[in-house]
Amino acid sequence: MRNLRNVHRSLAEPEIGLQLTAFAWDVTTNDIICAFGPTKDNVSLCLKRWKNTSKWENGDQDCKSPFIAIATWDAPCPLPDLQCDEVLDLHYFPDAFITCVVLAGGDLIVVREEPNNGEEKIEIVGSVDVGISAASWSPDEELLAIVTKADTLLYMTRDFENIADVTFTPDDLHISKHVSVGWGKSETQFKGKGAKALKDPTVPETVDEGVLSDYDTRTITISWRGDGAYVAVNSIVSEKRRVIRVYSRDGNLDSVSEPVDGLTGALSWKPSGSLIASVRRLAERVDVVFFERNGLRHGEFSLRLPTESWGDWAADISLAWNLDSSILAVCFLDRVQLWTMGNYHYYLKQEILHVEGSAWMSSTPLIWNPETPLSFAMGTTGGVQKLEYQFVTAIGPTSPPDDFGLVAVIDGKTLKITPMRFANVPPPMALYELNLSNNALDVAISVKDGVTLIATLHQSEVSMYQMGMTGKSLKVPELIWVAGISSNPRSSSIRRSALNQHISFDQSGKLLILQNNEEGSKVLVLESDGKMQQVTDWRSQESKESTNCAIEMRVHDGLIQSGQKFSTPKTKFSLSPSGHLLADKRLLAQNCTSFLVTPAHLIFTTSQHLLKFVHMADVGDLEVPPDTPEVDERCRSIERGAKLVTVIPSIFALILQMPRGNLETIYPRALVLAGIRESINAKRYKRAFLACRNQRVDLNIIHDYSPDTFTLDVALFINKVQKVEYIDLFLSQLREEDVTNTMYKQTLNLGQKTHDPPSPRSVAHSTSKVNRICDAFLDVLKQRPSTSLQNIITAHVCKVPPDLDAGLKEIARLRLENGDQAEAATEHICFLADPNRLYDNALGLYDLELALLVAQQTQKDPREYLPFLQNLEEMSVLRRQHFIDNYLGRYDKALQHLYELKAIDDVEAYTDRYKLYAQALELYRYEPEQFNVIMRRNAEYLQKNASYKEAGIAFEYVKDYNLASESYRLAHSWKESLSCARLAELDPFQIQNLARKLAEDRVEAKDFSSAANIQLDYLSDVAAAARFYCKAYDFAEAMRVVSLNNRTDLLNSVIDVGLADGMAVITELLADCKNQLNAQVPRIHELREKKAEDPLAFFEGDVAGGADIPDNVSLAPTDASTAGVSLFTRYTNHTGTVGTNVTRQTSKNRRREERKRARGKKGSVYEEEYLVNSVGRLVERVNSVGEDVSKLLLGLMRRGMRERAVAVEATMVEVVKLCKNASSQIMPPSKEDQGSKQDVEEAIRRPTGGDGVLFDSIEGGIYKSCPRCRTLPGYLCSADEMKE
């Protein structure tokens, strides 16, 4: 679907008397090395360089010559059968600044531009006495293939050493045994059951004998394959047949072509290596034929030449493939044609005429640039010119409503036109094929006043066609005028020859034609009627600068030619040959392969096979999406090598062309969502709905994109959509999720949100988005119940949770008015919801007829539900309602109906059966007698189920203090139990026994303070109370109780003993903590040093040098399949082995690793985490005993035990210091100390199985941040010996 467009042209004419005979590229500077002579009149051979930036090329007429001389010498012909010597091959080596010249007389000459000391500038490095017929250097410039006039093939190295000498013999023709299996022949195609018996496709009807053509020039040609592994030689054998021999790089004959009648000397091997091209002349046509490397034919195409040209400008034809095998250049005597292939069809894209009266050079008349695929040089004896082309797609406007997807494809004298919006016709076919008078060079499309204009550029004229297209119809294109243009492509001087390069429309509809001639470039402006208005000069230098970009686009203008300066578009997008996509001068992408522009998007493809969308904005605000097609709607993966053809925003379609030529239409999410959002903003809700429905977009976007606006426009939405089925579909697709924040997040970077921000009122009522929308629909639909009944039912059912009762009530109401409609509505609601659930809800409405109507839509057996409904019909109203509610499991309502029936016994039994005590109490709250009965039953139930505290409260409510006291005792509530025991008027002995039991219970629970209170208040045992206070480290309270009861004798016998016991416990605890810290902290440092020295050995057991694994470091959870993997692959779970991914991800391994982690065995990978967590728990334990130590110190000081207090305090200070040091050294920093460091581990995927346990261990144990070591509230003694 792409055409070729000329973007650069440079001309050069030699001095008078010099005749160009050969030229070659200097790829480092893009200069041309030209050879002039020798001729019959002048045996001098002159080498000159045509500089790429010469003044003459830029239009400086004062410069005498564009060439810089390199060397000149005489080259007389040593062979008598030649009138003069001839340059067969000219090759330039840019790395050594050497030019190699191969002459037909047999000389091999090297010309050095910058010779070193001792080197000659011109040197004959070799000579073939018999003469040379053809020569060619390999693509890697390491081998020179020479065919001599003695029919031998020579291989020479770059140092001109002969390494192979092969002789052509007639026996070479027998090396290949060609067998055709009829690929592509009609005989191999299936023609149906009634077809005649097929002939053997391997036996052709006629067999070619290789008869020579009358136009054969008897030349020998050589062509290398692109990789230099093989070389093909086209020559004549015994003056009877032309043969293409294929030789390997070693000089071995690989194959010989099959006989082909009329085969000529043209030869060019496709650089990609698949085909060898040549020319065959038949009586009725001239074809380009292709051969495989094995010599078999492989396709052909006709050059479509008129018969009268065969003996004229088409008498001699040569071929040349470009670098990337995309273009085949067919060279005639006065013109060059450029052919491309797509979908196995060859298109004639360009025809370049040469100077009239100038003959082609004897050597290759056209040479492609070895590094730039679409650049070549061509020349005749009268001069040389460099041309550069780019592939472009001629498309129509991409802005609605004129985005018909019109594409025009040039194929010689045929213009193929296809509006993709109406007919997606695959190439090489087209919807319309226009026959042109001459070969087309360029085509442009525009729309003016609703009429599509198609302008076609030829060598000397412009044809204008018009085509009527609307949204529903189109007309055949019609020719409206043909205008001649002042170009002279066949001028007698190359400097005066003109080349029509571009054609385009400007914003006003005028036609612009860019020409190139000796004055540089100029633009012809044609009015709409074809009359020329003016000619604007355009200097070649300005053209050169602008043509660095091959394709340019502007918003609303479509394709324009390079460097157009007639208007100032807001943003100009351009694509350079190197793949740089520019917006004005800002670089957007470096790997772009094609692009398109719509009013909303810049669309382009990349060499990574991604399709990207850039929202249209100012140049500085253009945001190119990253390569994340999984999460960003603006990026999407496409087929390898696909390129853009056109875009149709109206139908959200994007047409791509694959490398093989076929078309593919896709509907990218970015285009679809952009169209949907635009439709919502314009309140075209039906268009938005249909787009969502056709493109499978979640319908919630219609509401979520602008919720407040949609809520106000519900009536408009219903009127626009109209169809009941569409409204049902929308309601059934509603979800609570806001899809504009999840699935279809807005990627347009604007200063404020596009859709409406939620108002305070909408936020307050947005607890359920679905219910809010359904209620809004119901408010509108209930005003038109006759036509919207189905939608009303759907709105009720689609609520969250479904309001089935409301929907059934609508059916019940309708049943009274229209039975047929009620039955249809029942079928509809049964389709939306579970019929069995609807049957239960119908019963819950106590409407038996409605339940019967629903039951008929279920799979229930009528023998089951009919007797059931009849039984209900015979019951009283309340008893029926109770039975239905009990059947449906609505026990609260069933109990309510029993209460209304005044069936007290039934209420009590039903309450006990379903444990409805709270509901029954609520019902009898104004009937004290029955209320107390239910409360006692509730208390007994609670006591039976071990809810002793609640049971005690219930018993106490009904004034049963004995049972309440017992329940409280079982609930360990000693205060409540003793209080109820007093109210129960128990004797003192029973109360004391109860108090002793409660005190023992508190001692077992380590609640010594409560036990002391019981002993003091209820048992009057001061000694026991003081003893329990000491165990609770409440020495101050113990001393107070002793002094209050005048029991000073207990100070020595109880208080001092309690202080001694408390000091022993604290001292032992602190000693254990100190020993644990001294043992565990050094071990943690040791493990961390080993991990830092060799992490792989620490975690995996793979020790460098093959050493044994130490006994004190065990292996991480692994198996034989993970040996040798890196440390980081364990955490990312990307080991690449089947055993790892299968066995480790099991729950069995995970549980085993969790047990290992919990044990923290010495030498395992979990030891460090275990030790760190142990130290953390120790710090917390020391913090918890700080208050007890303070109380102990206070008691010791009050009892005159200062030395003991100092000892305890010193031990505590030492332990606290050790804890602080350990916390700062081994514990990880707290979150406040981590700062804003980026957590790179978030990007690592957590593994599963045993590896997941290890991953969690490495990430951190229980103490991910350091627990703070609290200092004691205050020490009571401050001795100098405690200072450090």
Side-chain angles (χ1 to χ4, degrees), residues 1110-1131:
D1111 294 336
N1112 60 341
V1113 178
S1114 71
L1115 298 180
T1118 183
D1119 54 22
S1121 63
T1122 60
V1125 296
S1126 69
L1127 167 65
F1128 297 100
T1129 55
R1130 281 194 55 80
Y1131 307 143

Side-chain angles (χ1 to χ4, degrees), residues 78 158 162 170 520 703 747 803 922 1016 1083 1162 1239 1253:
R158 187 164 174 175
N162 190 7
H703 166 270
T747 56
D803 192 359
E922 181 66 22
L1016 184 64
R1083 177 59 178 170
K1162 184 176 181 179
D1239 186 8
V1253 178

